[in-house]
């Protein structure tokens, strides 16, 4: 990607929420690691208040496009008005599909609040209302960090509901922004815990990933974790476009 094209690449912002010590920093390092950003220094763009890492993500522009044309054959009822030109119609469909199959690059910024800094509330809220996705992080060895995620999630969701949907809604009744739940320190877990049916991932009807933040292959290509992450980032970009941040 040339410097000329970089300035036209849009940015999606992802907020990481979790208590101190759950592994947010190491998780951010995993999430931002890519071929384009192989080293920590190549993907870190932090500021006074936030630790920020960035990566490139390829968004499929035909994500919601139907896989087949509307007509099926020259004898089908839906094609009766086009029966004289079925091949031309199919060529047109293939042309549209080919052009729609383009992968659109996006910058994805992962934000982790520096707990040692007492950030003014107005600055924190200004970022919250521009967030396109949230990753909730907890420690598998301490389920209290899981239960406390509800409290951490409240204020960001409140800002997103107010400034992205233009009204306050019951914020936990439905999902207003894409959310991914991540449990860390899987390698230190002596016995695999049973999935709790009432966990926050179930409450929000979202995906959950359990991993070891020290394993650089946690998001290996074509792995289940990578598929969940890609789906989450695609949904965050969708949210960015369907509910754009308003100027404030």
């Amino acid at each position: 990607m040339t410097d000329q094209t970089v300035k036209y690449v849009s940015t999606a912002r992802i907020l990481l929420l979790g208590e101190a010590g759950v592994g947010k920093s190491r998780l951010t390092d995993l999430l931002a690691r890519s071929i384009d950003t192989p080293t920590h220094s190549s993907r870190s763009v932090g500021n006074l208040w936030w630790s920020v890492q960035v990566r490139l993500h390829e968004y499929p522009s035909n994500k919601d496009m139907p896989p087949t044309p509307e007509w099926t054959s020259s004898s089908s009822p839906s094609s009766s008005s086009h029966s004289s030109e079925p091949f031309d119609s199919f060529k047109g469909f293939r042309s549209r599909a080919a052009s729609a199959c383009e992968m659109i690059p996006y910058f994805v910024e992962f934000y982790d609040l520096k707990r040692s800094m007492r950030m003014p509330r107005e600055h924190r809220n200004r970022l919250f209302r521009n967030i396109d996705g949230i990753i909730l992080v907890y420690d598998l060895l301490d389920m209290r960090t899981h239960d406390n995620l509800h409290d951490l999630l409240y204020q960001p969701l409140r800002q997103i509901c107010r400034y992205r949907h233009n009204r306050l809604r019951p914020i936990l009744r439905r999902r207003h922004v894409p959310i991914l739940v991540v449990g860390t320190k899987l390698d230190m877990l002596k016995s695999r815990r049973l999935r709790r049916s009432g966990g926050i991932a179930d409450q929000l009807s979202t995906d959950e990933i359990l991993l070891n933040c020290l394993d650089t292959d946690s998001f290996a290509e074509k792995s289940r974790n990578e598929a969940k992450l890609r789906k989450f980032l695609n949904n965050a970009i969708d949210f960015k476009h369907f509910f754009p941040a308003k100027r404030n």
Side-chain angles (χ1 to χ4, degrees):
M1 184 179 298
T2 65
D3 293 340
Q4 185 67 23
T5 58
V6 164
K7 65 180 182 180
Y8 297 110
V9 177
S10 297
T11 299
R13 296 175 176 85
I14 307 298
L15 175 67
L16 277 80
L17 293 175
E19 294 191 348
V22 298
K24 295 192 303 298
S25 297
R26 291 191 179 276
L27 175 60
T28 304
D29 208 47
L30 276 179
L31 294 169
R33 185 188 299 270
S34 69
I35 297 176
D36 303 291
T37 53
T39 63
H40 181 82
S41 59
S42 68
R43 54 182 177 262
S44 297
V45 290
N47 57 31
L48 177 63
W49 308 109
W50 301 89
S51 295
V52 185
Q53 294 197 46
V54 63
R55 64 167 292 170
L56 275 173
H57 172 70
E58 292 186 333
Y59 173 80
S61 60
N62 67 331
K63 187 165 68 73
D64 299 318
M65 187 175 181
T68 56
E70 294 181 357
W71 59 271
T72 55
S73 70
S74 58
S75 60
S76 64
S78 61
S79 65
S80 58
S81 61
H82 303 285
S83 58
S84 60
E85 298 181 327
F87 185 67
D88 290 339
S89 299
F90 184 64
K91 284 196 299 182
F93 172 82
R94 288 185 60 185
S95 176
R96 293 193 302 274
S99 61
C101 197
E102 179 186 2
M103 303 299 284
I104 303 175
Y106 278 81
F107 286 123
V108 178
E109 294 178 345
F110 298 95
Y111 284 78
D112 176 22
L113 177 63
K114 295 178 180 178
R115 294 292 177 183
S116 59
M117 307 298 295
R118 296 185 62 85
M119 184 181 189
R121 177 179 295 182
E122 60 270 19
H123 292 180
R124 186 170 61 247
N125 288 345
R126 189 175 299 118
L127 175 69
F128 288 165
R129 66 190 64 156
N130 288 284
I131 286 298
D132 304 305
I134 297 175
I135 298 179
L136 301 176
V137 190
Y138 71 96
D139 183 347
L140 286 165
L141 304 179
D142 184 359
M143 293 308 294
R144 289 176 300 178
T145 61
H146 170 278
D147 298 335
N148 292 339
L149 289 173
H150 295 86
D151 295 333
L152 297 176
L153 185 59
Y154 178 82
Q155 189 61 21
L157 278 187
R158 187 171 182 272
Q159 293 296 314
I160 291 171
C161 291
R162 180 177 180 181
Y163 289 95
R164 303 294 282 272
H165 296 276
N166 205 30
R167 64 190 178 97
L168 291 174
R169 299 182 179 185
I171 61 178
L172 286 181
R173 183 171 297 178
R174 56 177 295 181
R175 184 174 57 189
H176 297 282
V177 62
I179 295 175
L180 179 66
V181 180
V182 177
T184 63
K185 304 182 183 179
L186 179 62
D187 56 310
M188 301 174 64
L189 201 62
K190 294 182 179 179
S191 60
R192 189 68 173 265
R193 73 178 179 88
L194 295 175
R195 180 179 173 83
R196 302 197 308 179
S197 59
I200 195 168
D202 286 331
Q203 294 173 13
L204 298 173
S205 301
T206 192
D207 285 330
E208 182 175 15
I209 294 175
L210 308 182
L211 51 70
N212 168 18
C213 288
L214 298 178
D215 183 1
T216 56
D217 292 327
S218 294
F219 292 103
E221 187 176 359
K222 297 184 180 179
S223 66
R224 181 175 298 180
N225 287 352
E226 191 270 345
K228 289 182 178 180
L229 176 60
R230 179 169 291 277
K231 173 186 172 185
F232 166 72
L233 294 180
N234 287 341
N235 289 341
I237 292 172
D238 285 341
F239 182 83
K240 175 183 177 67
H241 289 293
F242 288 125
F243 300 100
K246 297 175 176 61
R247 293 185 178 275
N248 44 56

